[in-house]
Amino acid sequence: MNNSYWLKNVRLECGYKNENNRVSGTITDRFHLLIEDGCIAKITKDLEASSDDLPIKDAKGLLLLPSFVEKHVHLDKTYMGDKWRACIPASGVIERCEIEKNALLSMSASTYQRSTALLKQLISYGSTHIRTHVDIYPEVQLQNLAEVQQALEEFSSYASSEIVAFAQHGLLRSGTPQLIREAIRNGAGIVGAVDPATVDNNIEASLVQLMDLAVEGNADIDLHLHDPGHLGTFTMKRLAFLTKEAGWEGRVAISHAFGLGDVSRAEAAEMAEILKDASISIVTSLPTGRAIPPVDLLSECGVEVAVGNDNIFDSWWPTGNGDILERAGRLIERYRWTDEKSLSQAFRYITGGRTPLDQKGNQIWPTPGDEASMVLVDASCSAEAMARRAERHAVFYKGNLVCDKAGKKRN
C-alpha cells in the first residue's frame, strides 16, 4: 500500500505565544509534507519548487497531530458486532468473570467478528497502535487468541498491535500457566495477570509465577491491579523488586493501579520513586466514581503514564465508543488543565509521549524521518483539539490513508 505523495496545506504547530511571561496561545503555520516509504521525508513551505510529479493530497489547512496509541483494550470481550445488552450486576471480580464467560458463550457473533467491529471503531478515531488483552483460561484454551490474531492480521496495514496473554480468571489456576506459555509461543508478546491478592489469594506466588513466565518466554508484563490502598501499593513494591531482580526494567506495566490513588500524596510520591527506579509504567482508564493514580504526580516524578479505554461495551461496562481522545478529556476535567500549554501537553498520554511542542514550546513533531502515522483534525491547535475533542477528518498509518472523514476503512 505504501507510495510517495505530497500532503499539502497541513497546519503544524510552531511554538507558543507568550504574553507577560505566560503562554497565551499557539503559533501555527501551513506546510507541505513529502511522504515516502511510510515516513515523513520532507517538510517545506515551498511546494512549487518541487518538480517530482508526485500525487498531491490537500489537507485544506487541517491540523496534523500524531496518531494515537490505545494502550488498554479488550478486543475479545466486546459486544460490538452483536446485539445490545446491558451489564448484569455482580458482587465482585470473581462473579463478574463467571457472568462474562456465560455471556460470551451466548453470543451469535464470533470473537473474530466482534474484535473486527471494535478495531474499526478504534482506527476511525485515530488509534494506529493497539494493545489488547486476550483472556486465556482452560475453558476456551487459545481460541480467543487465535480469533483476535486473525482480526489484527486483517488490519495489520491499518494499525500495529501487541497482545497480552491475560489470565483474567487467575494466574495460579490449574492449567493456566501452561496455557500462557503456549500463548507466548503462539505470538502473544506480553504476560498479563490480575489482583494477586484477591484473585490468586497469594501475592508472592502469583507475582513470582508472572515474572517466571515473562522471563521464560522473553515477554513483557502488564498486571491488572484493582486492589485498593496499601494492599495495592504493597503488591506494586513486590513487583518492582522482582522486576529489578530479573532485569526486566522498562518491560513492565501496571494497569489501573488504584492503590496509588487511595494512599496519601506523600505515600504516592514514595511509590512513584520506586516505580521510576524499576522503569514500571502505569496505564489508567480514568474511571469515574473512584480514586485513580495521581497522573500529575507520577508524571512529575518521571513515571511513564498512558491512558487506555479498557472495557468498551462489554459485560464489565456498557458504554464506550473507542475514542481515546474523548477518554483523555477526563484528565483535563479531573486536574482542571484548562490553560493552553496544559491542554496541548495532555496529548502525550495517548500518543506514546509524542506532542507537537515540548514544554518550552520548541517544535519536536513532526520531523523528517518520523513515521507518517498521523491524524488530521478540525482544530486551530492541539489545545483546542484536546478541549473540544476535535473531529478526525483523516487517519494515516505509515503514510497510508486508512480512514476518511466518514470513518470508513480504505482499501
Side-chain angles (χ1 to χ4, degrees), residues 27 55 59 66 88 91 108 117 120-121 130 141 144 200 243 261 267 274 282 323 368 377 385 408:
I27 302 166
I88 298 173
S91 60
S108 58
K120 290 178 180 178
Q121 285 284 102
I130 296 157
Q141 301 285 303
N144 288 341
D200 277 331
T243 297
E267 290 174 299
I274 294 172
I282 298 295
D323 187 351
V377 302
K408 295 179 181 178

PDB file of all heavy atoms in Angstrom, residues 27 55 59 66 88 91 108 117 120-121 130 141 144 200 243 261 267 274 282 323 368 377 385 408:
ATOM      1  N   ILE A  27       1.241  29.213  18.112  1.00  0.00           N
ATOM      2  CA  ILE A  27       1.578  29.684  16.776  1.00  0.00           C
ATOM      3  C   ILE A  27       1.519  28.500  15.819  1.00  0.00           C
ATOM      4  O   ILE A  27       2.108  27.441  16.079  1.00  0.00           O
ATOM      5  CB  ILE A  27       2.989  30.291  16.748  1.00  0.00           C
ATOM      6  CG1 ILE A  27       3.098  31.451  17.743  1.00  0.00           C
ATOM      7  CG2 ILE A  27       3.348  30.766  15.343  1.00  0.00           C
ATOM      8  CD1 ILE A  27       4.526  31.885  18.009  1.00  0.00           C
ATOM      9  N   PRO A  55       1.871  12.442  -6.788  1.00  0.00           N
ATOM     10  CA  PRO A  55       0.486  12.788  -6.446  1.00  0.00           C
ATOM     11  C   PRO A  55       0.445  13.770  -5.278  1.00  0.00           C
ATOM     12  O   PRO A  55       1.355  13.797  -4.443  1.00  0.00           O
ATOM     13  CB  PRO A  55      -0.127  11.441  -6.059  1.00  0.00           C
ATOM     14  CG  PRO A  55       0.761  10.417  -6.683  1.00  0.00           C
ATOM     15  CD  PRO A  55       2.133  11.002  -6.705  1.00  0.00           C
ATOM     16  N   ALA A  59      -4.606  18.793   2.449  1.00  0.00           N
ATOM     17  CA  ALA A  59      -5.114  18.749   3.823  1.00  0.00           C
ATOM     18  C   ALA A  59      -6.022  19.925   4.139  1.00  0.00           C
ATOM     19  O   ALA A  59      -6.653  19.955   5.202  1.00  0.00           O
ATOM     20  CB  ALA A  59      -3.950  18.723   4.807  1.00  0.00           C
ATOM     21  N   PRO A  66       0.073  13.694  15.911  1.00  0.00           N
ATOM     22  CA  PRO A  66       0.487  12.287  15.915  1.00  0.00           C
ATOM     23  C   PRO A  66      -0.735  11.393  16.100  1.00  0.00           C
ATOM     24  O   PRO A  66      -1.673  11.757  16.826  1.00  0.00           O
ATOM     25  CB  PRO A  66       1.418  12.191  17.125  1.00  0.00           C
ATOM     26  CG  PRO A  66       1.771  13.587  17.493  1.00  0.00           C
ATOM     27  CD  PRO A  66       0.638  14.444  17.053  1.00  0.00           C
ATOM     28  N   ILE A  88     -25.014  -7.205  33.728  1.00  0.00           N
ATOM     29  CA  ILE A  88     -25.688  -7.876  34.839  1.00  0.00           C
ATOM     30  C   ILE A  88     -24.914  -7.547  36.112  1.00  0.00           C
ATOM     31  O   ILE A  88     -23.692  -7.686  36.137  1.00  0.00           O
ATOM     32  CB  ILE A  88     -25.713  -9.400  34.613  1.00  0.00           C
ATOM     33  CG1 ILE A  88     -26.496  -9.731  33.341  1.00  0.00           C
ATOM     34  CG2 ILE A  88     -26.301 -10.120  35.825  1.00  0.00           C
ATOM     35  CD1 ILE A  88     -26.425 -11.188  32.940  1.00  0.00           C
ATOM     36  N   SER A  91     -21.227  -9.028  42.389  1.00  0.00           N
ATOM     37  CA  SER A  91     -20.742  -8.655  43.714  1.00  0.00           C
ATOM     38  C   SER A  91     -19.245  -8.393  43.740  1.00  0.00           C
ATOM     39  O   SER A  91     -18.718  -7.809  44.688  1.00  0.00           O
ATOM     40  CB  SER A  91     -21.078  -9.756  44.718  1.00  0.00           C
ATOM     41  OG  SER A  91     -20.469 -10.978  44.329  1.00  0.00           O
ATOM     42  N   SER A 108     -24.020 -14.617  19.320  1.00  0.00           N
ATOM     43  CA  SER A 108     -24.133 -15.145  17.959  1.00  0.00           C
ATOM     44  C   SER A 108     -22.931 -14.719  17.125  1.00  0.00           C
ATOM     45  O   SER A 108     -22.511 -15.442  16.211  1.00  0.00           O
ATOM     46  CB  SER A 108     -25.427 -14.651  17.304  1.00  0.00           C
ATOM     47  OG  SER A 108     -25.467 -13.227  17.271  1.00  0.00           O
ATOM     48  N   ALA A 117     -15.187  -5.506  14.618  1.00  0.00           N
ATOM     49  CA  ALA A 117     -16.075  -4.353  14.777  1.00  0.00           C
ATOM     50  C   ALA A 117     -15.436  -3.279  15.663  1.00  0.00           C
ATOM     51  O   ALA A 117     -15.505  -2.084  15.366  1.00  0.00           O
ATOM     52  CB  ALA A 117     -17.413  -4.797  15.365  1.00  0.00           C
ATOM     53  N   LYS A 120     -12.384  -1.452  13.920  1.00  0.00           N
ATOM     54  CA  LYS A 120     -12.814  -0.393  13.004  1.00  0.00           C
ATOM     55  C   LYS A 120     -13.097   0.901  13.767  1.00  0.00           C
ATOM     56  O   LYS A 120     -12.738   1.992  13.303  1.00  0.00           O
ATOM     57  CB  LYS A 120     -14.057  -0.847  12.237  1.00  0.00           C
ATOM     58  CG  LYS A 120     -13.801  -1.941  11.220  1.00  0.00           C
ATOM     59  CD  LYS A 120     -15.094  -2.362  10.539  1.00  0.00           C
ATOM     60  CE  LYS A 120     -14.858  -3.462   9.522  1.00  0.00           C
ATOM     61  NZ  LYS A 120     -16.119  -3.917   8.879  1.00  0.00           N
ATOM     62  N   GLN A 121     -13.719   0.776  14.922  1.00  0.00           N
ATOM     63  CA  GLN A 121     -14.006   1.953  15.735  1.00  0.00           C
ATOM     64  C   GLN A 121     -12.718   2.630  16.214  1.00  0.00           C
ATOM     65  O   GLN A 121     -12.559   3.849  16.112  1.00  0.00           O
ATOM     66  CB  GLN A 121     -14.839   1.549  16.949  1.00  0.00           C
ATOM     67  CG  GLN A 121     -16.285   1.245  16.661  1.00  0.00           C
ATOM     68  CD  GLN A 121     -17.099   2.508  16.450  1.00  0.00           C
ATOM     69  OE1 GLN A 121     -17.399   2.868  15.322  1.00  0.00           O
ATOM     70  NE2 GLN A 121     -17.440   3.177  17.529  1.00  0.00           N
ATOM     71  N   ILE A 130      -2.410  -0.560  18.959  1.00  0.00           N
ATOM     72  CA  ILE A 130      -3.408  -1.093  19.888  1.00  0.00           C
ATOM     73  C   ILE A 130      -2.797  -2.209  20.718  1.00  0.00           C
ATOM     74  O   ILE A 130      -2.260  -3.179  20.173  1.00  0.00           O
ATOM     75  CB  ILE A 130      -4.632  -1.621  19.107  1.00  0.00           C
ATOM     76  CG1 ILE A 130      -5.326  -0.461  18.378  1.00  0.00           C
ATOM     77  CG2 ILE A 130      -5.602  -2.341  20.033  1.00  0.00           C
ATOM     78  CD1 ILE A 130      -6.163  -0.874  17.201  1.00  0.00           C
ATOM     79  N   GLN A 141      -9.184 -22.310  26.182  1.00  0.00           N
ATOM     80  CA  GLN A 141      -7.846 -22.605  25.667  1.00  0.00           C
ATOM     81  C   GLN A 141      -7.285 -21.367  24.946  1.00  0.00           C
ATOM     82  O   GLN A 141      -7.273 -20.285  25.521  1.00  0.00           O
ATOM     83  CB  GLN A 141      -7.896 -23.831  24.754  1.00  0.00           C
ATOM     84  CG  GLN A 141      -8.426 -25.087  25.435  1.00  0.00           C
ATOM     85  CD  GLN A 141      -7.428 -25.737  26.386  1.00  0.00           C
ATOM     86  OE1 GLN A 141      -6.325 -26.086  26.000  1.00  0.00           O
ATOM     87  NE2 GLN A 141      -7.830 -25.888  27.635  1.00  0.00           N
ATOM     88  N   ASN A 144      -9.723 -17.679  21.851  1.00  0.00           N
ATOM     89  CA  ASN A 144      -9.840 -16.219  21.776  1.00  0.00           C
ATOM     90  C   ASN A 144      -8.608 -15.613  21.127  1.00  0.00           C
ATOM     91  O   ASN A 144      -8.703 -14.678  20.313  1.00  0.00           O
ATOM     92  CB  ASN A 144     -10.019 -15.627  23.176  1.00  0.00           C
ATOM     93  CG  ASN A 144     -11.381 -15.903  23.765  1.00  0.00           C
ATOM     94  OD1 ASN A 144     -12.326 -16.231  23.057  1.00  0.00           O
ATOM     95  ND2 ASN A 144     -11.494 -15.766  25.080  1.00  0.00           N
ATOM     96  N   ASP A 200      -5.841 -14.423  43.004  1.00  0.00           N
ATOM     97  CA  ASP A 200      -4.995 -15.610  43.202  1.00  0.00           C
ATOM     98  C   ASP A 200      -4.813 -15.957  44.680  1.00  0.00           C
ATOM     99  O   ASP A 200      -4.311 -17.049  45.003  1.00  0.00           O
ATOM    100  CB  ASP A 200      -3.614 -15.381  42.568  1.00  0.00           C
ATOM    101  CG  ASP A 200      -3.610 -15.664  41.073  1.00  0.00           C
ATOM    102  OD1 ASP A 200      -4.419 -16.509  40.640  1.00  0.00           O
ATOM    103  OD2 ASP A 200      -2.812 -15.058  40.343  1.00  0.00           O
ATOM    104  N   THR A 243      10.962  -7.120  39.422  1.00  0.00           N
ATOM    105  CA  THR A 243      11.339  -6.551  38.123  1.00  0.00           C
ATOM    106  C   THR A 243      12.830  -6.255  38.070  1.00  0.00           C
ATOM    107  O   THR A 243      13.525  -6.613  37.105  1.00  0.00           O
ATOM    108  CB  THR A 243      10.534  -5.260  37.858  1.00  0.00           C
ATOM    109  OG1 THR A 243       9.136  -5.572  37.785  1.00  0.00           O
ATOM    110  CG2 THR A 243      10.973  -4.593  36.562  1.00  0.00           C
ATOM    111  N   GLY A 261      -4.057   5.884  44.151  1.00  0.00           N
ATOM    112  CA  GLY A 261      -4.996   6.977  44.370  1.00  0.00           C
ATOM    113  C   GLY A 261      -5.653   6.947  45.735  1.00  0.00           C
ATOM    114  O   GLY A 261      -6.312   7.906  46.133  1.00  0.00           O
ATOM    115  N   GLU A 267       2.775   9.211  50.353  1.00  0.00           N
ATOM    116  CA  GLU A 267       2.996   7.783  50.091  1.00  0.00           C
ATOM    117  C   GLU A 267       3.009   7.502  48.593  1.00  0.00           C
ATOM    118  O   GLU A 267       3.797   6.674  48.118  1.00  0.00           O
ATOM    119  CB  GLU A 267       1.910   6.966  50.777  1.00  0.00           C
ATOM    120  CG  GLU A 267       2.004   6.935  52.296  1.00  0.00           C
ATOM    121  CD  GLU A 267       0.820   6.245  52.928  1.00  0.00           C
ATOM    122  OE1 GLU A 267      -0.319   6.724  52.742  1.00  0.00           O
ATOM    123  OE2 GLU A 267       1.021   5.213  53.587  1.00  0.00           O
ATOM    124  N   ILE A 274       9.795   4.457  43.515  1.00  0.00           N
ATOM    125  CA  ILE A 274      10.055   3.025  43.366  1.00  0.00           C
ATOM    126  C   ILE A 274       9.724   2.563  41.950  1.00  0.00           C
ATOM    127  O   ILE A 274      10.476   1.803  41.320  1.00  0.00           O
ATOM    128  CB  ILE A 274       9.246   2.224  44.405  1.00  0.00           C
ATOM    129  CG1 ILE A 274       9.746   2.556  45.818  1.00  0.00           C
ATOM    130  CG2 ILE A 274       9.325   0.724  44.133  1.00  0.00           C
ATOM    131  CD1 ILE A 274       8.886   1.972  46.923  1.00  0.00           C
ATOM    132  N   ILE A 282       2.541   3.068  34.146  1.00  0.00           N
ATOM    133  CA  ILE A 282       1.167   2.974  34.639  1.00  0.00           C
ATOM    134  C   ILE A 282       0.209   3.253  33.490  1.00  0.00           C
ATOM    135  O   ILE A 282       0.415   4.182  32.705  1.00  0.00           O
ATOM    136  CB  ILE A 282       0.915   3.994  35.773  1.00  0.00           C
ATOM    137  CG1 ILE A 282       1.828   3.718  36.968  1.00  0.00           C
ATOM    138  CG2 ILE A 282      -0.558   3.979  36.189  1.00  0.00           C
ATOM    139  CD1 ILE A 282       1.588   2.399  37.669  1.00  0.00           C
ATOM    140  N   ASP A 323     -13.100   6.014  21.365  1.00  0.00           N
ATOM    141  CA  ASP A 323     -12.447   7.304  21.121  1.00  0.00           C
ATOM    142  C   ASP A 323     -11.498   7.629  22.272  1.00  0.00           C
ATOM    143  O   ASP A 323     -11.924   8.087  23.330  1.00  0.00           O
ATOM    144  CB  ASP A 323     -13.500   8.404  20.968  1.00  0.00           C
ATOM    145  CG  ASP A 323     -12.899   9.736  20.547  1.00  0.00           C
ATOM    146  OD1 ASP A 323     -11.655   9.858  20.535  1.00  0.00           O
ATOM    147  OD2 ASP A 323     -13.678  10.651  20.234  1.00  0.00           O
ATOM    148  N   PRO A 368      11.551  15.336   9.789  1.00  0.00           N
ATOM    149  CA  PRO A 368      11.866  14.379   8.731  1.00  0.00           C
ATOM    150  C   PRO A 368      12.409  13.076   9.310  1.00  0.00           C
ATOM    151  O   PRO A 368      13.252  13.074  10.202  1.00  0.00           O
ATOM    152  CB  PRO A 368      12.922  15.119   7.902  1.00  0.00           C
ATOM    153  CG  PRO A 368      12.593  16.569   8.094  1.00  0.00           C
ATOM    154  CD  PRO A 368      12.161  16.659   9.533  1.00  0.00           C
ATOM    155  N   VAL A 377      -7.120  16.828  12.041  1.00  0.00           N
ATOM    156  CA  VAL A 377      -8.284  17.178  12.854  1.00  0.00           C
ATOM    157  C   VAL A 377      -8.736  18.600  12.544  1.00  0.00           C
ATOM    158  O   VAL A 377      -7.942  19.439  12.104  1.00  0.00           O
ATOM    159  CB  VAL A 377      -7.988  17.049  14.369  1.00  0.00           C
ATOM    160  CG1 VAL A 377      -7.554  15.643  14.708  1.00  0.00           C
ATOM    161  CG2 VAL A 377      -6.935  18.053  14.808  1.00  0.00           C
ATOM    162  N   ALA A 385      -7.964  21.005  20.062  1.00  0.00           N
ATOM    163  CA  ALA A 385      -8.314  19.625  19.723  1.00  0.00           C
ATOM    164  C   ALA A 385      -8.586  18.800  20.973  1.00  0.00           C
ATOM    165  O   ALA A 385      -9.523  17.994  21.016  1.00  0.00           O
ATOM    166  CB  ALA A 385      -7.182  18.995  18.913  1.00  0.00           C
ATOM    167  N   LYS A 408     -14.535   5.405   7.418  1.00  0.00           N
ATOM    168  CA  LYS A 408     -14.592   4.124   6.705  1.00  0.00           C
ATOM    169  C   LYS A 408     -13.181   3.663   6.364  1.00  0.00           C
ATOM    170  O   LYS A 408     -12.335   4.438   5.955  1.00  0.00           O
ATOM    171  CB  LYS A 408     -15.404   4.266   5.426  1.00  0.00           C
ATOM    172  CG  LYS A 408     -16.872   4.585   5.682  1.00  0.00           C
ATOM    173  CD  LYS A 408     -17.630   4.747   4.382  1.00  0.00           C
ATOM    174  CE  LYS A 408     -19.094   5.080   4.651  1.00  0.00           C
ATOM    175  NZ  LYS A 408     -19.830   5.279   3.392  1.00  0.00           N
TER     176      LYS A 408
END
